[in-house]
Amino acid sequence: MNRKWKSIGFAAFAAALSLSASFAEAAGVLTIGRREDSTTFDPIKSAQNVDNWVFSNVFDVLIRVDKSGTKLEPGLAESWTVSDDGLTYTFKIRDAKFSDGSPITAEDAAFSLLRIRDNEGSLWSDSYKIVETAEATDPKTLTVKLKTPSAPFLSTLALPNVSVLSKKAVEAGEDAFAELPTASSGAFTVKEWRRGDRVILEKNPNFWQADRVKLDGVEWISVPDDNTRMLNVQAGQLDTAIFVPFSRVEELKKDANLSVLIDTSTREDHLLINHEHGALAKKEVRQAVDMAIDKKAIVDTVTFGLGTVANSYIPKGSLYHYDANYQYPYDPAKAKAMLAEAGASDLSLNYVVNAGNEVDEQIAVLLQQQLSKAGITVNLQKVDPSQSWDMLIAGDYDISVMYWTNDILDPDQKTTFVLGHDTNMNYMTRYKSDKVKDLVAAARLELDPKKREAMYAEIQKTAKDDVHWVDLYYSPYINVARKNVENFYQNPLGRFFLEDTVKN
Amino acid sequence: MHRYRFVLLRPLQFLPVIFGISIITFILVRLIPGDPARVLLGTRATPTAIANIRAQFGLDEPIWLQYFYFLRNLGNGEMGKSILYKIDVLNLIATRIEPTLALVICSVLLSIAIAVPMASIAARNAGRAPDHAVRIISTFGIGFPPFWLGLMLIILFSVKLDLLPVSGYGSTLGDKLAHLILPSLTIALSLSTVLTRSLRAAMIEGLKSDVATAARARGMPERIVFWRHVLPNSLVPTINLLAVNTGWLIGGTVVIESVFALPGMGQLLVRAIFSRDYMVVQGVAMVFACATVLVNFLADIATVAADPRVKL
């Protein structure tokens, strides 16, 4: 019996050894490790980044955002014109084919736009309610009429969720399409989806820019644990991994086989303030809170110096960012004096913290120490992230750290959420300013870029003066790739330009 | 054959157990604060969009009515639709069963493969140096947290020695087995310590038993006494110990699947809990509950078959 077991053990070990040779991926196929797997291939039914990354590999849009994340460029729409009243948009669709060989027509484009507006399962209906009609006036011309003029409308067409889908393929069965799309308009097609594990993409030979695509395929592989994901790249079993924690950057940079890629993002972390709670209703008190926070210290400790101090809710490098915006100096003594003057010298704040998030918990401890120097008592209340969201909505907090990333290049989307005095209480802050409210609405309708820029500068100045929230820091995307991978790039809106990536 | 009568009667007891579990998981998952619609829509959630999602998935109905629908669906062999993945929960679970099942089986086999020799050495040298060595090794096995142990094994076998895959599952049988070695070993290193202790105690008792003494009196060599009489008898309590540990083992796979990126039910459950995907949490909890009940039932049958004296 002993001998038998021994020989079985040896056999298993030998098998394992011989197998290890097969882990290396095929040449030309790029493997990317990420935290979570996709949830669907129907672009209108997801609002998750994990899905958007893959949607933009598989489907093309009418209008794209360029690599810098600040300009629009033609996608499947070769060109477009806007009527003088700003209500009618006419798009010329380029000669292109779906992966199944059928032509991409204006009818497919109209179908996709109306579907995201009307489909019961669409998570994006609200964003496209502004569309009055969309029709194919001829096979290559799409005419869209809006209910009101809208400066950001063109940039909303660049969202991966409103990608051009094949009407025929979707109508053949929505559920089947969501599982494995049979026709794609983008650089890659979906070959296989192993749920929970990986999405396997293959080069689409019918893509209108097929010459540009160097990779034979892409595999998006789910590796939820940050440590395991990094080890995979270090061991050479994955070509790239995204979401490198700040704390790992220095160590990975020392590995000669790896390049750490730091790309500009639109992420901004900020401290929400509940304007309806006691002394926080006073502008001077909020200004004192801002002055009591040493943002530089947060950037250095939490992001290991990889972030930059934020001075506006519109991130640096984004359209209409006002770089000359005022920045409150770090001055705890003055903050203390201001609080005393406002009759709030015994200010005590309830801080809702996302438990289990390393960065959020670090910021909480730092802020608690910093604010105490200005005489502010901070009580930390750690809760699960989806619970904290409920508490913020209900107004059951004084301060809390949150972040935002843009998914369209136009500032209108974030501005409306944060300062538009809409249904979400100005992103849970309960901030009120008639001046800002009117400016946000006017900036949406203003079609002259120069005038719009001035309006957004005014909004940023006023919001800063009122301390609608405290801007903390901007941080980049941090990804890691083996040295043989070139042009693995993520633009500020999060799109991966895999059509340009090369694996040597 | 009346010793086996329980095989027919016992399943009748399962129904109330599983019914009870369904109520508890149904209520518990809804008691955790948080709203699936809000998680699904992310930071851009508007009140109308949230209301729309809640209506679509019946989350705006009173909780007792939701439970009624859940039971009705269950009667039809369905478990409802996942909010996150928008497909039927049973279909979703079906794609995730294999890695978890394979992990559990490999871990148990590996634990036994580790525990039997360790316990034999300890029992045959009770009170002497080898016995103490085994005890010290066992204490280490329990002391290390599994996720840390898993990462250390990856660093050693995959990064430094480059012998085994870091993480994931495979598509062919051999590939899958290669991917299962490290995660199973991680679980086995802690599970085997529990088994070793129980086996050692049973073996020491067996070595002192009348059967063993009688065998020795007939002139049977000590080695044969051990393999033929002591070992089989000491396996009976071990089977039950394994069955009792099924729940613990399933809990262990949740952590290990995340560390090793195995696309099994544990990972599915974790993500479902974070996104408050109620239907999926209920579904996976039900599958785990049924598995535990079934394993214990099979262990009872095995015990009765292994030992003619046992009556249930």
Side-chain angles (χ1 to χ4, degrees):
Chain A
M1 196 161 185
N2 260 333
R3 206 171 299 141
K4 199 165 102 195
W5 277 113
K6 250 184 220 165
S7 51
I8 289 176
F10 275 125
F13 193 65
L17 280 180
S18 62
L19 278 166
S20 60
S22 66
F23 306 137
E25 289 296 337
V29 175
L30 184 79
T31 50
I32 309 171
R34 56 172 173 172
R35 273 190 194 143
E36 288 173 326
D37 188 35
S38 288
T39 70
T40 178
F41 280 106
D42 191 339
I44 67 168
K45 290 184 181 161
S46 173
Q48 322 247 341
N49 283 335
V50 284
D51 289 314
N52 274 5
W53 297 328
V54 185
F55 294 156
S56 56
N57 304 153
V58 175
F59 306 114
D60 204 355
V61 282
L62 287 175
I63 299 177
R64 295 182 187 166
V65 177
D66 74 340
K67 285 199 166 180
S68 75
T70 55
K71 279 198 291 291
L72 294 173
E73 60 183 26
L76 285 171
E78 200 167 60
S79 60
W80 55 88
T81 55
V82 188
S83 66
D84 289 339
D85 61 1
L87 287 175
T88 308
Y89 288 69
T90 313
F91 301 90
K92 173 115 177 46
I93 309 295
R94 81 173 64 242
D95 279 320
K97 282 178 185 163
F98 286 110
S99 57
D100 64 0
S102 57
I104 298 176
T105 64
E107 195 169 339
D108 294 308
F111 164 79
S112 305
L113 186 55
L114 293 177
R115 183 169 178 263
I116 198 169
R117 183 190 71 178
D118 300 335
N119 190 291
E120 204 201 356
S122 169
L123 302 183
W124 296 88
S125 323
D126 287 350
S127 311
Y128 297 90
K129 284 275 186 310
I130 191 168
V131 174
E132 172 92 34
T133 58
E135 54 186 347
T137 30
D138 71 59
K140 289 288 168 199
T141 311
L142 169 71
T143 308
V144 178
K145 287 202 167 68
L146 302 185
K147 289 171 185 160
T148 54
S150 161
F153 175 65
L154 279 178
S155 37
T156 63
L157 291 181
L159 265 180
N161 307 89
V162 70
S163 293
V164 177
L165 310 179
S166 154
K167 185 179 183 214
K168 192 178 71 185
V170 173
E171 283 181 344
E174 264 189 20
D175 290 345
F177 188 87
E179 191 79 29
L180 201 72
T182 47
S184 48
S185 48
F188 299 91
T189 58
V190 186
K191 187 180 170 200
E192 193 189 345
W193 180 16
R194 291 191 211 145
R195 276 188 184 272
D197 180 24
R198 68 189 63 196
V199 169
I200 303 174
L201 307 180
E202 223 173 23
K203 183 180 170 171
N204 172 10
N206 283 326
F207 179 46
W208 67 275
Q209 284 180 311
D211 297 348
R212 185 174 164 184
V213 183
K214 309 287 183 303
L215 295 171
D216 298 326
V218 175
E219 291 191 16
W220 285 95
I221 299 171
S222 142
V223 186
D225 188 90
D226 285 345
N227 291 309
T228 315
R229 204 166 56 251
M230 299 308 130
L231 287 171
N232 263 302
V233 186
Q234 285 172 295
Q237 293 183 11
L238 284 180
D239 299 321
T240 60
I242 63 174
F243 275 131
V244 178
F246 294 127
S247 55
R248 299 295 298 275
V249 171
E250 270 313 305
E251 178 208 336
L252 292 174
K253 271 185 175 168
K254 286 184 193 131
D255 192 326
N257 297 314
L258 306 178
S259 15
V260 177
L261 310 165
I262 297 176
D263 296 327
T264 308
S265 87
T266 57
R267 175 167 173 151
E268 187 220 1
D269 287 57
H270 42 250
L271 181 75
L272 298 182
I273 299 178
N274 186 343
H275 293 226
E276 276 176 3
H277 272 194
L280 293 175
K282 289 185 190 161
K283 181 165 130 181
E284 294 73 23
V285 172
R286 297 195 301 269
Q287 286 174 337
V289 170
D290 202 331
M291 271 186 220
I293 296 175
D294 184 358
K295 290 114 195 160
K296 184 72 177 50
I298 295 175
V299 167
D300 289 344
T301 315
V302 175
T303 74
F304 293 77
L306 292 160
T308 46
V309 174
N311 67 342
S312 160
Y313 78 94
I314 298 182
K316 194 177 176 66
S318 297
L319 192 64
Y320 303 141
H321 167 75
Y322 181 52
D323 209 32
N325 211 17
Y326 182 70
Q327 181 66 274
Y328 291 96
Y330 171 56
D331 192 344
K334 188 167 179 214
K336 199 168 192 171
M338 282 173 78
L339 287 173
E341 210 172 300
S345 39
D346 58 344
L347 190 61
S348 171
L349 300 176
N350 191 19
Y351 181 165
V352 173
V353 186
N354 284 325
N357 181 320
E358 194 190 337
V359 170
D360 271 17
E361 294 199 16
Q362 256 182 330
I363 297 178
V365 174
L366 276 175
L367 284 182
Q368 191 180 35
Q369 287 169 355
Q370 292 178 358
L371 290 170
S372 74
K373 286 185 192 151
I376 303 169
T377 316
V378 173
N379 310 307
L380 301 183
Q381 193 180 356
K382 291 187 186 181
V383 296
D384 185 78
S386 38
Q387 183 186 356
S388 72
W389 188 253
D390 279 0
M391 295 171 73
L392 299 182
I393 300 258
D396 193 7
Y397 79 104
D398 294 325
I399 52 175
S400 183
V401 168
M402 287 282 285
Y403 73 90
W404 179 283
T405 52
N406 293 354
D407 49 21
I408 69 169
L409 70 80
D410 197 279
D412 175 65
Q413 187 197 47
K414 184 177 183 184
T415 306
T416 303
F417 263 93
V418 175
L419 300 164
H421 295 69
D422 217 332
T423 44
N424 67 357
M425 300 155 290
N426 278 341
Y427 210 53
M428 293 85 79
T429 59
R430 284 119 175 116
Y431 167 56
K432 282 185 192 70
S433 157
D434 287 335
K435 182 186 166 196
V436 168
K437 182 184 175 182
D438 295 342
L439 267 171
V440 174
R444 191 180 304 132
L445 300 176
E446 180 56 62
L447 299 176
D448 178 355
K450 276 273 165 286
K451 284 186 195 158
R452 264 193 106 200
E453 181 161 17
M455 289 165 123
Y456 278 111
E458 191 59 29
I459 294 172
Q460 290 171 76
K461 271 192 274 188
T462 316
K464 188 56 133 183
D465 186 52
D466 287 342
V467 193
H468 71 111
W469 69 25
V470 179
D471 297 303
L472 295 177
Y473 64 87
Y474 307 129
S475 55
Y477 295 118
I478 309 175
N479 303 319
V480 60
R482 304 281 300 175
K483 276 272 156 67
N484 60 335
V485 175
E486 278 172 42
N487 298 336
F488 183 69
Y489 173 76
Q490 192 173 15
N491 84 351
L493 299 182
R495 188 183 189 281
F496 287 92
F497 282 72
L498 300 182
E499 54 270 41
D500 296 330
T501 307
V502 181
K503 183 180 167 185
N504 294 317
Chain B
M1 279 308 279
H2 64 280
R3 284 182 56 235
Y4 287 99
R5 202 175 50 189
F6 76 98
V7 175
L8 294 174
L9 294 178
R10 187 64 61 84
L12 294 179
Q13 295 173 8
F14 297 164
L15 280 177
V17 170
I18 289 175
F19 183 70
I21 291 167
S22 81
I23 295 186
I24 293 169
T25 51
F26 190 89
I27 293 174
L28 270 186
V29 68
R30 281 166 178 75
L31 280 180
I32 327 172
D35 179 349
R38 209 158 263 155
V39 180
L40 184 71
L41 291 161
T43 44
R44 288 141 181 78
T46 58
T48 47
I50 288 172
N52 182 22
I53 296 283
R54 293 185 64 85
Q56 245 185 68
F57 288 91
L59 299 171
D60 50 351
E61 309 270 15
I63 189 162
W64 59 269
L65 199 62
Q66 289 186 44
Y67 185 67
F68 171 74
Y69 289 142
F70 172 67
L71 282 188
R72 197 188 56 188
N73 282 342
L74 215 55
N76 296 334
E78 288 166 18
M79 277 189 184
K81 230 178 178 191
S82 156
I83 303 169
L84 183 62
Y85 301 94
K86 286 126 205 133
I87 64 166
D88 186 74
V89 171
L90 269 184
N91 288 340
L92 189 63
I93 291 176
T95 63
R96 301 295 199 91
I97 284 183
E98 192 195 294
T100 304
L101 196 65
L103 177 62
V104 169
I105 293 173
C106 290
S107 305
V108 169
L109 293 180
L110 210 53
S111 308
I112 294 172
I114 296 173
V116 169
M118 295 263 276
S120 311
I121 292 168
R124 294 172 74 174
N125 299 288
R128 291 198 298 273
D131 188 21
H132 297 309
V134 166
R135 191 172 303 141
I136 289 168
I137 295 170
S138 297
T139 315
F140 272 108
I142 291 183
F144 291 131
F147 71 89
W148 181 84
L149 198 61
L151 285 174
M152 291 305 121
L153 290 175
I154 293 176
I155 291 176
L156 178 62
F157 288 102
S158 311
V159 182
K160 301 273 182 233
L161 299 175
D162 198 18
L163 285 177
L164 291 167
V166 175
S167 69
Y169 199 45
S171 46
T172 62
L173 181 66
D175 206 13
K176 284 174 182 171
L177 284 176
H179 280 89
L180 282 169
I181 294 175
L182 288 185
S184 314
L185 187 62
T186 309
I187 294 180
L189 284 179
S190 40
L191 182 61
S192 63
T193 57
V194 184
L195 294 185
T196 307
R197 277 189 198 187
S198 131
L199 266 173
R200 175 186 169 276
M203 284 172 176
I204 288 176
E205 208 173 292
L207 284 167
K208 288 181 195 149
S209 68
D210 295 344
V211 186
T213 313
R216 284 187 200 108
R218 291 200 306 273
M220 194 182 276
E222 190 61 27
R223 206 166 55 88
I224 310 275
V225 173
F226 185 80
W227 288 111
R228 193 170 296 167
H229 295 296
V230 177
L231 183 65
N233 279 322
S234 61
L235 283 177
V236 176
T238 311
I239 293 172
N240 282 303
L241 187 71
L242 267 178
V244 170
N245 272 303
T246 318
W248 177 87
L249 193 57
I250 288 172
T253 62
V254 173
V255 178
I256 295 305
E257 280 182 15
S258 293
V259 172
F260 287 94
L262 279 169
M265 285 193 290
Q267 262 203 66
L268 181 66
L269 181 64
V270 172
R271 195 170 174 193
I273 291 173
F274 279 124
S275 53
R276 303 287 186 272
D277 198 345
Y278 295 156
M279 328 296 169
V280 176
V281 177
Q282 281 157 211
V284 176
M286 291 289 287
V287 172
F288 281 166
C290 292
T292 310
V293 168
L294 187 71
V295 166
N296 280 284
F297 178 56
L298 293 176
D300 284 347
I301 297 178
T303 309
V304 172
D307 189 343
R309 290 165 301 181
V310 176
K311 262 189 199 167
L312 285 169

